[in-house]
Amino acid sequence: MGILTDPSAGQGKITKAIISYHPKLSILLYISGITWFCFLAYTPLNAGTYFSENALLPGLVKSEFRDDGSAKLFYDELQDEMKKYDNSIPYPWILAKFQQIGLDTYTHNFTLNYPLGKSNTKYNGKNVYGILRAPRAGSTESLVMSVPYRPPTNINPTTAPGVAIMLAFAKHANRQKYWSKDIIFLITEHEQLGIQAWLEAYYHVVCGRRGVLDHGDLRGRGGAIQAAINLEFHDINIDRMDIKVEGLNGQLPNLDLFNLATRMCTKEGISHTFKNRENRNYRDPVKDWNYAFQTLMTMIFTQASGVPNGNHGLYHRFGIQALTLEGFSDRKTTNPGNFLSVGRILESIFRSLNNLLERFHQSYFFYLLPSSDRFISIGLYIPSVCFIAGALFLKACGKWFRLYKYLINLSEMSAEDKRNLELTENANENIKIISICGIFLFTHTIGILLMNSPKLITTVGSQYGYNTELSLYGGFAIIFVLLLMIPVLITIKTCYKSMTVLHVVALLEAATSLICLSMYNFSLGLIVGTFYVPILLLLEPCRCRAYSVIQKLLWFIAHPFVTLTLLVTIYTIFNFPNESFGENVLRGISATQQAVVFAIVDFMIYSNWLYGVITCVMVPNWICFWCVLFSTAKTDAYITIEKKND
Amino acid sequence: MSTLIIYFLGAFVRYWLITSEYQNVIAERIEISTPLNSWKRVTEGLHLLKLGIYPYAGDSLHESPLNLLAFNCLVKIFGEYLHIVFVVCDLLTSHLLYMSAKKYMEQIRKTQERNKANYAADAKDLLLTDKDFALSPIYVCVVYLFNLYTIFNCVGMTTTVFGNLFTALFLMALNYGSLFAALPLAIVISQSFYPILLLSPLFLHFVVTRKSYIKAGAAVVLCVMFWSIITYLCYRIYDRWDFVENTYGFILTVPDLRPNIGLFWYFFIEMFEHFRSLFIYSFQINVTILYLIPLSIRFRQDPMLLATSLLSLTAIFKSYPCLGDIGFVLSLYPCWKHLFNYIQQGFLVSCCFLVTTILGPTVWYLWIYSGSANANFYFGVTLAFATAQIFLITDILFSYTKREFSLIYGRIRKLNSKKAQLMLE
């Protein structure tokens, strides 16, 4: 180690500054990251939306849609038909209507093999779609208009007006000569499952686990799908259009499509909202910021879950830009409805899309919306998460340099000092790279096994007669408790050097995965960062027993499993303040069980990554830090050396 | 015993991955397979060969005809078990690197013994100990075996595996001072051209350590001769010269602009056609000549370091770089393990390597599969990756000079009663 003592090696001013100030600096970095993000909602700091793609402008011309009468007629007929079919789409009627209008009409069958539990449960579904062939081009490109059909027994608000307006629009569109892209009119069943199966069948791919969703086959196809508009109209009289964009794994459609939808709503005089919040301009900057920030946070929370908030969200992964128009009626009146304006909105949107020469590539794919006419681009928001992750890098750096300095001090010590030191700690022990690699491999293998375990756990659980929810939750709880024991197996607990290296590597892993995560899904990255980074900055193996216990407790709570249970329970307690505490806890736990099952099912059917990220990255990383916390290395000697030298 | 376990583990990891379902995914990655080294293209060439069609008739094959013939033999002999050849070659490479590092450390020891008298008094603890000499070669071997880049390179079944094997053979022969070094060098030159830069360390080695200009000249002439023979043989196979266009021409004029981890594609994709040749010249001069002369002059005393730095720079700047090249160079660095303590940006560089290695595939996914990111994201990451590599090699070279200086002049801390600092200028 002789060479380590070189004075000019890594002992510059910056190094010294990092060694002494890194705890404060990293807290500062974290706070500045959060502040940066909060300020983004302030209007002067973000940008107004604008059309980037000029090809989309033709929709602004005069609308010709006049089929509101037939829409009304379709709606009344559909209401009658729906009464005959409690649980499914009124296929004959819709097929007949599509054929009458003159579309190529097809049906599509799909089957879901429920992936959990022992019994092989199957669910069947059937979609209907009609294709309007473009008169001005071969079927090379197409657009989709889809409606998720909800039978009367469904608890969600009806979408029948959407079906009616779709049929009326199809009738209108079929008479026009200007279409250069096929238009596919799609009515799906079983909410997101139907659209997922249809898309998988369209592209002949399997997105989730093999054998879970049998997507069936399509007999008719259009060309490459350029864009899709999903309709969820709950009333024949639509006063307010909510535009939903958040898709699977937090993917968003091109901002131009969102702009297009907002402009067309404005043009037809129907007020539009984003996250059910209309745009407001307050004079008072604080109030203005507060309102925009709340909208922004609603978007962040929706996006972070990675669960699409409408059927549009499943198109995104296929490179199809899609959004949902959700129409509400604010007044409880019985006026005849405004199918005319709604139809004209659809007409304008589709005429604009029809004019696209290239697929969407202008404008932004990574953005946040504090209101429907302002946006925050990736260049503006990514620094915030970089600062937050930077805090972890800085801490890792500081720890590394400290270790380095410790080694230097050690090698500069006289032989006698060293012998004294030898009594208190094993300073001569080398860094055990193999053990550290071993710990890393081991924890990550556990993560991968955990990711693939649900099938096994539920099979075992069902043999003992437990249902899927309980066996999964119980299984995870048992695994969690077992994993808490891992530090017992660690042999390098007493070696200060090795434990520091482990700590540094775990910090680097956390920071790197935070950055990558926020590239995929910024909102998730931000939330995970905001929650975990302060705790990670706090964690520091120390000899003070009380402080060490507090740290362990804090980190225990920070385990995704515990956090989820706690959050859901607290949420339940706040939502049902009248119930007794015990009742609420039970309710919270059962809600957590359902959340876990939903996450896993989403992972298996739609390949929503949330579960994968948690089991493969967060849990292994959590275990690494858990091991670090159990470090019993004595650092006193190290500190005295430092004092002596300074 | 432990060495055997290491080799066995290295082989096991490779064998497991190469027979797993991930092999396809890994082989398809653009970071690993470039148009120049992808096994898929070789298979295509072999198929054309089998059909009796001139293999360069398509635009996909960029191996030289002789190499193609050799691969043909390999495929014929090993058939189903071809992947074992790749694993064995990689193990062999690691062992050759171990041998060359061992020999190199012996040379350093000799030089140190010889020059001990000239060293400054307080430079004693800068000298290398027996432990350093013993550990470095093992580290070289271990890093080659367990480096993710080389593992993926082997699993991706790229022809870089063979390139690395011959480069390692060259390095070993170089360190043993054998004229035989000319042959493997000629082979790698015929495969990927850029190793032509290694003629300089070959020449310098014989000048410096053997003090013989004749031998040095002979080595270079021998290498050029071997190369000519190889090229002639390539010509004789089909009696056509247009393979040159598909091999050397392909490397030098960079017609395939598929994204890779290099710096060429992004510039040339947007380049006006009439500026293309100008920039091709400047980019290629950057790889080949720009660093060759200054580095050769500065590090003439240490041909191994010179070879490593040249390999490293070509791995960064060449037209179709792949992770296999970078992994090879990274595994050579432990030869200078004793310099690591001088390195200024070690932590920064390793963070950069970690982040870019993971972020690269992330933005690639977002660009190609999700369609939401774009080429700029990916190029940004590869640029950061290249920068990290440049930082690393400059850091090592600078530390080397710093150590040399300190050995002779002692560790000056004060100059005219001010704190002194060595600067790279």
Side-chain angles (χ1 to χ4, degrees):
Chain A
M1 291 285 166
I3 284 153
L4 278 178
T5 55
D6 185 76
S8 51
Q11 287 291 316
K13 276 181 189 145
I14 300 173
T15 318
K16 276 188 183 139
I18 288 178
I19 289 181
S20 26
Y21 299 118
H22 78 87
K24 281 169 197 156
L25 275 177
S26 40
I27 291 171
L28 189 72
L29 261 182
Y30 171 75
I31 293 172
S32 52
I34 301 283
T35 325
W36 181 295
F37 174 75
C38 291
F39 270 112
L40 287 178
Y42 183 49
T43 310
L45 295 180
N46 47 46
T49 55
Y50 58 92
F51 269 118
S52 214
E53 173 67 278
N54 287 330
L56 288 172
L57 295 174
L60 295 163
V61 298
K62 196 168 172 294
S63 310
E64 290 165 354
F65 180 82
R66 264 184 219 91
D67 283 310
D68 51 322
S70 22
K72 184 77 186 66
L73 214 62
F74 285 134
Y75 180 70
D76 293 338
E77 283 180 36
L78 182 61
Q79 288 296 328
D80 289 339
E81 286 293 325
M82 277 168 75
K83 285 177 196 141
K84 299 181 204 158
Y85 299 87
D86 269 352
N87 243 332
S88 68
I89 305 182
Y91 300 102
W93 183 79
I94 286 177
L95 287 173
K97 286 296 160 199
F98 272 161
Q99 262 154 10
Q100 229 169 50
I101 290 167
L103 307 179
D104 295 358
T105 311
Y106 307 95
T107 53
H108 163 234
N109 294 307
F110 59 90
T111 315
L112 173 73
N113 305 312
Y114 192 67
L116 300 176
K118 199 172 86 174
S119 56
N120 228 343
T121 330
K122 278 185 198 280
Y123 299 96
N124 291 312
K126 195 172 175 186
N127 299 325
V128 194
Y129 66 102
I131 304 176
L132 171 77
R133 296 293 175 188
R136 290 183 50 165
S139 295
T140 49
E141 290 180 336
S142 56
L143 306 169
V144 174
M145 181 188 281
S146 62
V147 178
Y149 181 83
R150 288 170 188 162
T153 47
N154 195 312
I155 46 161
N156 294 316
T158 173
T159 53
V163 177
I165 190 74
M166 175 199 262
L167 288 170
F169 176 69
K171 191 175 167 193
H172 165 80
N174 199 32
R175 293 197 298 264
Q176 309 307 322
K177 296 282 169 282
Y178 46 67
W179 299 116
S180 56
K181 294 179 174 57
D182 290 353
I183 304 180
I184 302 174
F185 297 95
L186 172 65
I187 297 172
T188 59
E189 208 179 6
H190 300 315
E191 301 292 324
Q192 297 180 358
L193 205 55
I195 197 81
Q196 175 68 21
W198 189 82
L199 283 166
E200 286 187 5
Y202 198 89
Y203 290 100
H204 253 300
V205 287
V206 178
C207 297
R209 285 287 154 105
R210 258 165 217 291
V212 175
L213 182 61
D214 177 12
H215 57 63
D217 200 9
L218 297 186
R219 279 181 297 121
R221 282 187 174 75
I225 302 173
Q226 303 293 308
I229 304 290
N230 185 49
L231 308 177
E232 285 176 20
F233 295 155
H234 304 313
D235 201 288
I236 54 166
N237 184 40
I238 288 171
D239 299 309
R240 186 165 64 80
M241 201 75 95
D242 190 48
I243 305 173
K244 299 197 285 192
V245 287
E246 297 91 339
L248 185 74
N249 293 321
Q251 217 181 329
L252 299 169
N254 192 293
L255 188 57
D256 260 345
L257 185 66
F258 178 79
N259 290 341
L260 180 68
T262 56
R263 295 293 150 92
M264 296 311 155
C265 289
T266 318
K267 184 188 144 211
E268 294 301 331
I270 291 184
S271 73
H272 63 267
T273 54
F274 176 65
K275 312 298 318 170
N276 284 322
R277 292 161 72 86
E278 62 198 20
N279 297 340
R280 277 189 205 154
N281 291 316
Y282 292 101
R283 285 261 176 82
D284 179 17
V286 178
K287 231 176 179 179
D288 191 51
W289 171 83
N290 186 27
Y291 188 78
F293 186 68
Q294 281 179 25
T295 317
L296 180 64
M297 285 319 284
T298 336
M299 178 183 181
I300 293 274
F301 283 121
T302 319
Q303 201 189 3
S305 71
V307 182
N309 61 347
N311 276 0
H312 63 277
L314 296 159
Y315 289 98
H316 295 158
R317 112 171 88 205
F318 300 95
I320 304 166
Q321 309 310 318
L323 49 78
T324 292
L325 296 176
E326 187 171 14
F328 296 96
S329 162
D330 285 342
R331 285 164 289 157
K332 285 284 159 223
T333 50
T334 48
N335 68 350
N338 56 353
F339 279 130
L340 188 68
S341 343
V342 175
R344 288 190 165 179
I345 290 176
L346 294 180
E347 186 203 358
S348 325
I349 291 178
F350 274 83
R351 283 196 73 171
S352 297
L353 294 174
N354 181 48
N355 196 48
L356 274 182
L357 294 174
E358 309 161 75
R359 63 191 189 93
F360 281 96
H361 64 282
Q362 307 240 20
S363 201
Y364 296 85
F365 286 94
F366 297 105
Y367 54 87
L368 296 172
L369 297 166
S371 76
S372 70
D373 57 357
R374 313 283 304 172
F375 76 103
I376 302 159
S377 73
I378 183 167
L380 278 175
Y381 70 65
I382 209 76
S384 63
V385 95
C386 285
F387 280 147
I388 294 174
L392 292 183
F393 278 120
L394 193 66
K395 176 165 183 181
C397 191
K399 285 197 78 70
W400 179 258
F401 284 154
R402 272 173 97 95
L403 173 71
Y404 198 79
K405 193 167 181 199
Y406 169 72
L407 292 179
I408 291 175
N409 289 342
L410 211 62
S411 61
E412 273 183 352
M413 265 195 311
S414 62
E416 195 179 337
D417 274 351
K418 234 178 208 169
R419 222 169 297 123
N420 288 340
L421 193 64
E422 206 90 327
L423 300 175
T424 54
E425 64 173 309
N426 24 13
N428 266 357
E429 232 175 288
N430 276 327
I431 300 171
K432 286 179 181 140
I433 297 173
I434 296 175
S435 306
I436 295 166
C437 289
I439 294 173
F440 251 78
L441 264 178
F442 180 64
T443 50
H444 286 80
T445 318
I446 285 178
I448 292 170
L449 290 180
L450 202 60
M451 181 176 82
N452 293 311
S453 63
K455 176 88 190 155
L456 184 74
I457 292 178
T458 47
T459 316
V460 173
S462 64
Q463 270 170 2
Y464 292 97
Y466 297 112
N467 64 4
T468 310
E469 282 89 358
L470 193 65
S471 47
L472 269 180
Y473 192 78
F476 283 154
I478 292 167
I479 293 172
F480 169 58
V481 172
L482 284 180
L483 289 183
L484 288 182
M485 309 292 171
I486 283 186
V488 179
L489 305 173
I490 307 291
T491 50
I492 52 168
K493 267 183 296 195
T494 52
C495 176
Y496 166 71
K497 296 175 203 166
S498 308
M499 283 321 263
T500 310
V501 173
L502 179 66
H503 196 167
V504 168
V505 177
L507 279 171
L508 287 183
E509 194 205 357
T512 310
S513 39
L514 192 60
I515 285 182
C516 288
L517 191 60
S518 37
M519 278 309 293
Y520 279 122
N521 185 346
F522 172 77
S523 303
L524 183 59
L526 183 80
I527 289 176
V528 169
T530 313
F531 179 63
Y532 274 95
V533 170
I535 303 177
L536 287 180
L537 291 180
L538 262 179
L539 295 191
E540 192 75 54
C542 67
R543 297 193 72 192
C544 169
R545 188 163 286 250
Y547 187 48
S548 163
V549 168
I550 292 172
Q551 282 186 12
K552 278 169 196 159
L553 205 65
L554 201 62
W555 194 235
F556 177 83
I557 293 171
H559 190 283
F561 186 75
V562 182
T563 314
L564 180 73
T565 312
L566 280 180
L567 280 182
V568 174
T569 313
I570 292 169
Y571 182 79
T572 329
I573 291 173
F574 271 97
N575 265 14
F576 303 95
N578 300 329
E579 306 282 336
S580 73
F581 180 75
E583 183 119 337
N584 266 333
V585 168
L586 282 181
R587 198 179 277 185
I589 286 176
S590 83
T592 317
Q593 291 175 5
Q594 271 166 10
V596 170
V597 173
F598 275 138
I600 293 169
V601 170
D602 267 10
F603 172 69
M604 287 178 145
I605 299 175
Y606 307 111
S607 80
N608 181 337
W609 295 327
L610 188 61
Y611 174 70
V613 168
I614 288 175
T615 49
C616 277
V617 182
M618 281 169 76
V619 169
N621 202 235
W622 186 92
I623 301 172
C624 284
F625 280 109
W626 184 249
C627 295
V628 169
L629 279 182
F630 278 85
S631 156
T632 51
K634 298 179 183 101
T635 49
D636 283 11
Y638 151 64
I639 290 161
T640 49
I641 296 165
E642 214 173 30
K643 273 185 190 147
K644 207 164 71 184
N645 272 33
D646 282 340
Chain B
M1 189 60 206
S2 60
T3 14
L4 264 181
I5 291 176
I6 289 170
Y7 280 111
F8 177 76
L9 269 180
F12 170 74
V13 170
R14 282 169 172 75
Y15 184 78
W16 171 59
L17 278 173
I18 214 166
T19 48
S20 74
E21 54 189 310
Y22 305 114
Q23 198 273 334
N24 241 333
V25 183
I26 293 169
E28 297 278 308
R29 298 294 314 183
I30 45 132
E31 292 91 345
I32 291 151
S33 295
T34 66
L36 210 57
N37 70 1
S38 116
W39 187 253
K40 212 171 167 184
R41 288 171 186 256
V42 173
T43 324
E44 163 91 10
L46 291 179
H47 188 66
L48 290 180
L49 203 65
K50 208 157 97 190
L51 295 178
I53 302 170
Y54 181 56
Y56 298 97
D59 197 27
S60 58
L61 182 69
H62 304 293
E63 292 287 340
S64 74
L66 207 61
N67 284 5
L68 191 68
L69 218 62
F71 294 141
N72 198 13
C73 291
L74 279 182
V75 170
K76 280 213 174 107
I77 295 168
F78 293 98
E80 283 287 289
Y81 301 100
L82 189 72
H83 50 270
I84 291 173
V85 177
F86 286 88
V87 176
V88 170
C89 278
D90 234 26
L91 290 187
L92 210 60
T93 310
S94 71
H95 190 67
L96 288 175
L97 285 179
Y98 170 76
M99 305 257 283
S100 43
K102 205 169 169 187
K103 190 74 193 168
Y104 176 65
M105 294 323 283
E106 268 172 34
Q107 277 170 27
I108 291 189
R109 186 203 291 265
K110 267 186 212 154
T111 330
Q112 188 172 295
E113 297 291 321
R114 202 168 51 233
N115 296 342
K116 223 169 198 172
N118 299 339
Y119 291 158
D122 65 342
K124 203 164 272 170
D125 48 355
L126 288 179
L127 296 181
L128 296 178
T129 57
D130 286 343
K131 201 176 153 198
D132 290 323
F133 290 125
L135 272 181
S136 278
I138 297 174
Y139 276 33
V140 167
C141 172
V142 168
V143 170
Y144 189 83
L145 282 174
F146 298 104
N147 180 339
L148 275 186
Y149 299 149
T150 43
I151 291 177
F152 283 151
N153 180 49
C154 175
V155 173
M157 308 226 296
T158 65
T159 55
T160 306
V161 171
F162 304 113
N164 284 348
L165 176 67
F166 285 109
T167 317
L169 200 61
F170 162 75
L171 288 177
M172 193 191 74
L174 182 76
N175 281 308
Y176 277 85
S178 147
L179 277 178
F180 170 71
L183 182 62
L185 184 58
I187 294 173
V188 274
I189 293 175
S190 79
Q191 192 195 16
S192 56
F193 184 74
Y194 288 113
I196 199 164
L197 299 183
L198 296 178
L199 281 177
S200 156
L202 180 67
F203 180 78
L204 288 173
H205 179 84
F206 288 105
V207 172
V208 174
T209 53
R210 297 291 149 104
K211 309 264 183 266
S212 139
Y213 279 96
I214 300 168
K215 255 193 168 173
V220 172
V221 170
L222 212 59
C223 178
V224 173
M225 208 178 72
F226 279 132
W227 185 29
S228 315
I229 291 173
I230 290 171
T231 314
Y232 179 71
L233 284 177
C234 287
Y235 161 70
R236 283 298 300 168
I237 292 173
Y238 302 107
D239 275 333
R240 287 168 76 156
W241 277 114
D242 52 359
F243 76 89
V244 175
E245 195 184 315
N246 272 304
T247 51
Y248 305 124
F250 183 77
I251 295 167
L252 292 176
T253 60
V254 204
D256 191 331
L257 295 180
R258 244 165 50 119
N260 57 34
I261 54 170
L263 307 173
F264 273 70
W265 65 275
Y266 187 78
F267 286 102
F268 286 96
I269 234 163
E270 292 279 344
M271 186 86 53
F272 287 121
E273 203 53 41
H274 45 277
F275 283 111
R276 203 184 144 87
S277 41
L278 170 71
F279 280 99
I280 287 279
Y281 277 112
S282 46
F283 270 63
Q284 296 289 11
I285 286 172
N286 174 48
V287 197
T288 47
I289 303 169
L290 197 61
Y291 309 105
L292 176 67
I293 296 162
L295 286 177
S296 301
I297 295 171
R298 182 63 193 80
F299 298 109
R300 61 184 179 279
Q301 298 295 336
D302 195 340
M304 179 70 171
L305 181 69
L306 178 61
T308 309
S309 51
L310 289 174
L311 278 172
S312 158
L313 288 169
T314 39
I316 302 166
F317 292 115
K318 72 197 255 187
S319 46
Y320 302 103
C322 66
L323 288 183
D325 300 325
I326 294 158
F328 184 80
V329 176
L330 282 184
S331 54
L332 282 173
Y333 287 151
C335 285
W336 297 276
K337 195 169 77 65
H338 53 281
L339 297 178
F340 286 1
N341 300 313
Y342 286 85
I343 285 180
Q344 302 272 358
Q345 290 113 352
F347 191 78
L348 184 73
V349 168
S350 17
C351 282
C352 252
F353 267 98
L354 176 71
V355 173
T356 48
T357 308
I358 297 176
L359 202 58
T362 308
V363 289
W364 176 260
Y365 178 87
L366 288 174
W367 172 25
I368 300 298
Y369 295 98
S370 301
S372 43
N374 53 46
N376 305 303
F377 288 68
Y378 188 71
F379 181 70
V381 175
T382 53
L383 195 62
F385 187 56
T387 316
Q389 290 176 62
I390 295 170
F391 267 49
L392 186 59
I393 184 67
T394 18
D395 232 358
I396 286 181
L397 293 182
F398 182 45
S399 319
Y400 185 84
T401 13
K402 210 154 70 175
R403 177 169 175 272
E404 270 189 336
F405 178 86
S406 303
L407 277 176
I408 309 289
Y409 298 101
R411 288 182 294 152
I412 306 168
R413 293 167 198 226
K414 295 240 165 79
L415 198 67
N416 299 338
S417 76
K418 275 187 200 155
K419 210 169 174 199
Q421 206 179 0
L422 288 180
M423 300 281 275
L424 183 68
E425 271 179 1

